[in-house]
Amino acid sequence: MNEHVDPAHSSDLPTPALVIDGDVFDRNLAVMAATHPGPALRPHVKAHKCTSIAAAQASMGHLRFTCATPREVIGMAAAGLGHDLLLANETVDAVRLRAMAGLDNPVTVAVDSDSTLDAAVAAGIERVLIDVNVGLPRCGVAPDAAGRLADLARSAGLEVRGVMGYEGHLMMVTDRSEQAERVEAAMALLRRAHADVGGHIVSAGGTGTFDLHERTGVNEVQAGSYALMDTHYGRLGLPFEQAVFVLGTVISVGDRYAVADVGLKALGMDHGDPDLVMDDGSPRSVWFCSDEHITFSIDGGSTGGGAPVVGDRVRVVPAHVDPTMAMHEVAWVVRDDRVTDRWPIDLRGW
Ligand SMILES: Cc1ncc(COP(=O)(O)O)c(C=O)c1O
């Protein structure tokens, strides 16, 4: 296991290795903090599941966090990052709700039904946010039913802090003016619900819409992927750079293809194949991934670059960062090819 080594250079890392380019990561955090300073960003930890990364986000002034699982909430609190945690997701798990209710700082939990509210009340949760459906067919109460749920929560003695409404269906709209228009329409639904619900928080947004909330009424953006990025979001031309990749080693070379040791058990594949770049920076086209292998063309095409040999290192760039992070125990931070940090991915599980 990676835990037993102490590599000095990225070439010493056992592969597959999850690697973060520390300088790029710093730049991404700075760009986001300049757009959404302090509490205007509630970073979503689901994108990285790593308290070391959350601590870096906190050092940029973002002290409130968004979580997707009770495990993330409890792990963040244990790491001293529990000042204001939002579980932006529904649960009726009594054991996990009670564990969150027992934390030093009160946790805020999203509710979208009488059942999720009842479960929160029974477990001793004190604060809720009304989760509103703004068009993504996932969680969220209908906008015109949000006020009733808020009244019910208050009558049960809970503090209703406001609303959230994640416009996930609009993250990848590539036409920016169409995206802005549709985000505004979705947030009009959230504002309508907020007028009935009350409270101070109007929480929404993600990396793909991070800069479209100037006039939507949203007062905290829940972006997470921006810190590390992936090729999926990379297509949008956002001001964030690719900071994470999976380092691999070429283990076999055929006549037209080569094989490295980064398979679909080291990569989130739901957004498609990853990109692959040789050590000299020249890209190669990916043929396919299997459990423990990635098969790619040896031909560098017009970008040049020689045929790989066994032992060469490759950078495999994930199409979806969130599930990729969740597949690794540790991320190695590299600056100028020196390994400067080892960050456990310590918020995995549920
Ligand atoms: C509730 C919620 N908020 C915000 C986000 C934004 O994340 P990202 O930065 O990946 O767009 C997500 C992602 O799935 C989410 O589920």
Side-chain angles (χ1 to χ4, degrees):
M1 290 219 310
N2 290 339
E3 276 71 8
H4 302 302
V5 299
D6 188 16
H9 296 275
S10 57
S11 54
D12 303 324
L13 289 169
T15 58
L18 184 69
V19 174
I20 294 172
D21 182 322
D23 295 334
V24 176
F25 171 76
D26 290 348
R27 286 202 291 276
N28 287 345
L29 262 51
V31 168
M32 183 58 94
T35 312
H36 296 295
L41 186 78
R42 187 187 276 278
H44 208 320
V45 304
K46 73 187 270 286
H48 51 69
K49 289 186 174 286
C50 172
T51 55
S52 303
I53 293 180
Q57 292 171 314
S59 76
M60 298 300 289
H62 314 299
L63 302 180
R64 305 171 173 178
F65 286 93
T66 310
C67 301
T69 65
R71 168 75 199 118
E72 291 172 5
V73 170
I74 291 161
M76 286 287 287
L81 295 161
H83 161 71
D84 183 343
L85 299 173
L86 164 65
L87 180 68
N89 199 2
E90 279 65 18
T91 180
V92 289
D93 185 321
V95 172
R96 288 168 174 158
L97 279 164
R98 274 201 299 275
M100 291 190 290
L103 297 173
D104 288 344
N105 294 309
V107 167
T108 303
V109 169
V111 293
D112 71 352
S113 65
D114 293 13
S115 304
T116 48
L117 176 61
D118 289 348
V121 172
I125 294 288
E126 295 167 17
R127 299 167 156 199
V128 290
L129 218 53
I130 306 299
D131 188 1
V132 179
N133 185 330
V134 295
L136 174 70
R138 205 174 65 179
C139 299
V141 67
D144 55 8
R148 189 199 72 87
L149 192 58
D151 292 345
L152 204 62
R154 288 197 177 96
S155 67
L158 269 59
E159 180 190 350
V160 178
R161 297 185 75 196
V163 292
M164 65 161 272
Y166 174 53
E167 75 282 21
H169 56 304
L170 303 179
M171 290 299 142
M172 291 306 296
V173 177
T174 48
D175 181 313
R176 282 299 265 174
S177 56
E178 181 197 338
Q179 191 185 32
E181 240 172 69
R182 293 178 63 187
V183 168
E184 166 49 27
M187 294 304 111
L189 298 175
L190 192 58
R191 288 196 298 272
R192 195 171 93 205
H194 184 229
D196 295 341
V197 166
H200 297 297
I201 294 178
V202 183
S203 197
T207 298
T209 63
F210 86 103
D211 55 349
L212 298 178
H213 285 286
E214 238 172 82
R215 284 178 291 277
T216 58
V218 167
N219 54 26
E220 50 173 57
V221 167
Q222 299 180 351
S225 300
Y226 76 96
L228 298 172
M229 289 294 284
D230 53 35
T231 63
H232 197 60
Y233 265 142
R235 282 192 243 133
L236 289 183
L238 300 167
F240 307 110
E241 305 163 65
Q242 189 62 43
V244 71
F245 56 90
V246 183
L247 187 69
T249 305
V250 175
I251 53 170
S252 182
V253 179
D255 51 354
R256 291 187 303 125
Y257 62 85
V259 182
D261 58 354
V262 179
L264 52 85
K265 288 180 179 168
L267 287 166
M269 295 285 295
D270 59 313
H271 288 170
D273 281 342
D275 287 354
L276 185 143
V277 184
M278 299 301 298
D279 231 7
D280 62 7
S282 61
R284 294 290 188 278
S285 59
V286 171
W287 285 17
F288 63 92
C289 291
S290 39
D291 277 357
E292 302 292 357
H293 304 99
I294 185 166
T295 299
F296 61 97
S297 173
I298 59 170
D299 183 5
S302 57
T303 59
V309 296
V310 170
D312 278 355
R313 291 291 172 113
V314 298
R315 291 178 168 212
V316 180
V317 189
H320 194 183
V321 63
D322 308 51
T324 301
M325 297 301 288
M327 289 178 181
H328 294 263
E329 292 170 62
V330 70
W332 302 97
V333 184
V334 172
R335 295 175 196 269
D336 289 333
D337 207 36
R338 290 193 64 79
V339 179
T340 57
D341 277 299
R342 177 192 174 282
W343 288 346
I345 312 302
D346 50 355
L347 300 175
R348 302 187 305 161
W350 290 266

